[in-house]
Amino acid sequence: MRVITGRGIPPGMARAVAAMALCGPAWAGSVPARFQYTEVHMGVQTRIVLYADSQARAESAASAAFRRIARLDDTMSDYRASSELMRLCARAGQGPVKVSPDLFRVLLRCDELHERSGGAFDPTVGPIVALWRTARKTGRLPPVAELESARALVGWSNVDLERRRRTVTLKRPGMRLDLGGIAKGYACDAALAEIRRHGIRSAMIEMGGDIVLGARPPDLRGWRIDVPNAAEVMALSNCAVSTSGDAEQYVEFAGVRYSHIVDPRTGLGLTSRISVTVIAPRGELSDGLSTAISVMGRDAGLRLAARYPGVRVFMRAPAEARQR
Ligand code: ADP
Ligand code: MG
């Protein structure tokens, strides 16, 4: 996704420069200047653009935001055995486990998305996602028997959330949660909140296909976002934009392309070639909805989106993805 701002620098260039202000000295007096920083988090280039009245303030806000994202990665990563999420999974089948407020909040949102999507959004797909990841590396389809045993561990009804004690129970040993469909959007929201705590209103956080926007840049109508699947550049602010699809992560066997998003009902990576962009008030919602709608297809997906005020959907949906 391209992000274009008024006095910007081509995004490609920014990616090569880690955690460095690119237009610091331009600020003068009370006119806020544009600062841009990049670091790698959750496996993707993470970009922060913000407007501040001093370089010192810009840097402390951006580094606090990156630290917050790094902590959330420690909470929600399914790549690291030491993350809070993986430690929770290690205790599957052993009763309730108290979790952090962030993890509980994400799981509550997952619970709502699961229910409203009729089961299309389901973070218990972890064991299946793991098999497809291996398939991408080895170039071999997951063995049918392994897919079958992985599928037996999938099911949100095996997750209990207890609000008062903030505990999570994973009822079956071997269950594995995967928050890849929502974690980056949530992390962008948290990063924006951190930047706001530093007194900065105009900011943008981009993590791969997920973008969260604060107030508009001082000299523009909005953040100029080239919205995938809308084929237009929009001036946006105070909202989030997420895109899901198989453009980057997929595996191909016998001419069929399987996405990294799996249909919990079949255990297979999506083959529909659908690509969905969601604009929503918050990143946790745009991210979760774009994944859910990808699984649901166009018609059911649009019905789901209609239940959320302030949500807009743009998609490229080949015929087979239209109805479910
Ligand atoms: P990206 O990771 O490219 O930003 P998404 O936000 O759509 O794309 O998330 C895809 C990820 O969501 C997968 O890599 C996997 O971790 C997880 N996932 C896959 N299928 C589902 C599903 N049916 N429900 C919830 N999460 C899923
Ligand atoms: Mg998503």
Side-chain angles (χ1 to χ4, degrees):
M1 185 179 299
R2 266 186 318 135
V3 178
I4 307 150
T5 56
R7 318 169 237 169
I9 286 156
M13 207 172 130
R15 298 217 159 90
V17 186
M20 200 180 118
L22 291 174
C23 34
W27 72 275
S30 61
V31 181
R34 181 181 186 275
F35 297 86
Q36 173 166 288
Y37 306 88
T38 63
E39 288 185 11
V40 174
H41 290 280
M42 298 187 172
V44 293
Q45 282 283 344
T46 301
R47 193 156 73 99
I48 295 178
V49 180
L50 52 79
Y51 287 78
D53 56 12
S54 80
Q55 183 162 345
R57 183 183 283 239
E59 273 170 18
S60 66
S63 61
F66 283 131
R67 277 198 305 275
R68 176 83 170 104
I69 295 172
R71 281 197 304 276
L72 285 171
D73 195 19
D74 288 340
T75 304
M76 297 195 275
S77 171
D78 59 310
Y79 282 90
R80 268 184 263 151
S82 62
S83 74
E84 185 186 7
L85 183 72
M86 288 299 104
R87 283 183 282 120
L88 167 66
C89 295
R91 291 172 64 184
Q94 297 171 32
V97 177
K98 179 143 183 148
V99 300
S100 65
D102 280 315
L103 184 51
F104 200 73
R105 198 189 151 150
V106 172
L107 291 173
L108 281 178
R109 178 63 91 180
C110 290
D111 187 55
E112 177 197 287
L113 285 167
H114 176 266
E115 198 256 302
R116 293 191 177 191
S117 69
F121 188 88
D122 188 342
T124 66
V125 293
I128 296 177
V129 171
L131 285 179
W132 285 95
R133 265 188 210 150
T134 308
R136 271 213 300 281
K137 282 195 212 115
T138 60
R140 259 176 289 140
L141 268 172
V144 176
E146 284 183 33
L147 264 181
E148 279 311 304
S149 29
R151 275 181 71 191
L153 294 167
V154 175
W156 190 251
S157 57
N158 291 322
V159 180
D160 265 353
L161 303 177
E162 215 276 298
R163 283 172 196 259
R164 211 163 39 83
R165 296 201 184 86
R166 217 203 301 135
T167 59
V168 180
T169 308
L170 303 179
K171 295 186 201 159
R172 306 189 55 178
M175 285 177 72
R176 180 179 160 137
L177 299 184
D178 179 330
L179 296 173
I182 194 167
K184 293 207 287 291
Y186 185 90
C188 290
D189 288 336
L192 179 62
E194 197 63 47
I195 290 167
R196 284 178 169 154
R197 264 194 285 283
H198 283 71
I200 292 170
R201 314 307 301 174
S202 298
M204 182 210 77
I205 302 97
E206 180 185 24
M207 299 186 76
D210 300 291
I211 294 182
V212 168
L213 304 168
R216 65 177 175 81
D219 51 352
L220 292 170
R221 268 196 313 123
W223 297 91
R224 289 170 51 76
I225 308 291
D226 188 356
V227 180
N229 300 308
E232 67 175 300
V233 176
M234 294 184 184
L236 299 170
S237 56
N238 295 311
C239 68
V241 187
S242 293
T243 301
S244 292
D246 65 2
E248 278 160 33
Q249 292 197 56
Y250 63 89
V251 59
E252 203 165 293
F253 296 107
V256 180
R257 187 190 272 215
Y258 298 89
S259 162
H260 66 308
I261 300 175
V262 304
D263 187 332
R265 292 160 288 200
T266 61
L268 300 179
L270 300 185
T271 54
S272 61
R273 306 294 305 271
I274 192 172
S275 175
V276 180
T277 302
V278 175
I279 301 181
R282 294 176 57 81
E284 62 175 25
L285 198 54
S286 59
D287 192 2
L289 280 176
S290 64
T291 307
I293 294 170
S294 297
V295 178
M296 296 169 86
R298 190 187 66 177
D299 296 356
L302 290 176
R303 283 196 295 276
L304 169 67
R307 296 185 65 184
Y308 288 94
V311 165
R312 281 187 284 168
V313 182
F314 304 90
M315 64 176 99
R316 187 174 48 71
E320 68 164 298
R322 299 236 159 122
Q323 281 173 357
R324 284 213 70 115

